[in-house]
Amino acid sequence: MIGPTGYGSLTLGMTLRQAVDTGRVLPPDQLSDVAEPCRLLRVPGQVTGLRVGLIDGVGVVSIPGYGGARTPEDIGPGSTRAQVKRTYPGFREWSGGIAVAVPGHPANQYAFDFGGADLDDDRVGSVELSVKDRGCAG
């Protein structure tokens, strides 16, 4: 389950050391990306491109869902755009995605990515948990 404050033992706000110690993030190396002010850290055993975002002095600010991760409200890969909208009123929508405040944790948000043409039957391809206005594209 991803949310409301983390994914398994990895939580928003953790320091680099704490995040690495969970085993859900690899230590920075030559394959880590830097997208100022973020460090994008690799996730063990996952597809290239999935990265945990961390800002020095702030901590972990974005966590990608992988392995079929679903929110506590049971939204995740395969859920329709219409289901996301019904489950999370007050969403922000853009071409290819929807962002919503995490229920009970308004400083955090979920971003749902869709691969379709903005139709209500488009399916969630991925979900990311981040600190609102502080996320890193991972």
Side-chain angles (χ1 to χ4, degrees):
M1 178 174 61
I2 189 164
T5 60
Y7 189 29
S9 58
L10 181 65
T11 60
L12 295 172
M14 282 185 160
T15 65
L16 173 61
R17 175 62 30 223
Q18 290 169 327
V20 169
D21 286 350
T22 69
R24 296 189 80 116
V25 174
L26 294 172
D29 63 13
Q30 68 275 12
L31 297 177
S32 298
D33 297 322
V34 176
E36 294 294 336
C38 299
R39 287 198 221 185
L40 300 175
L41 305 170
R42 293 183 307 131
V43 176
Q46 296 304 312
V47 202
T48 302
L50 283 180
R51 302 282 192 264
V52 169
L54 182 136
I55 298 175
D56 289 329
V58 176
V60 171
V61 293
S62 62
I63 303 171
Y66 52 89
R70 301 184 79 75
T71 68
E73 296 79 24
D74 199 31
I75 298 292
S79 299
T80 65
R81 183 181 294 267
Q83 288 172 314
V84 173
K85 289 176 179 181
R86 273 194 310 273
T87 303
Y88 302 106
F91 58 87
R92 285 183 331 205
E93 189 169 18
W94 69 91
S95 179
I98 291 177
V100 300
V102 173
H105 298 268
N108 299 342
Q109 73 176 10
Y110 295 122
F112 299 97
D113 182 57
F114 298 86
D118 299 332
L119 304 173
D120 278 348
D121 62 351
D122 285 349
R123 303 276 174 175
V124 171
S126 64
V127 59
E128 180 179 86
L129 173 68
S130 65
V131 176
K132 194 181 277 184
D133 302 322
R134 278 289 184 119
C136 300

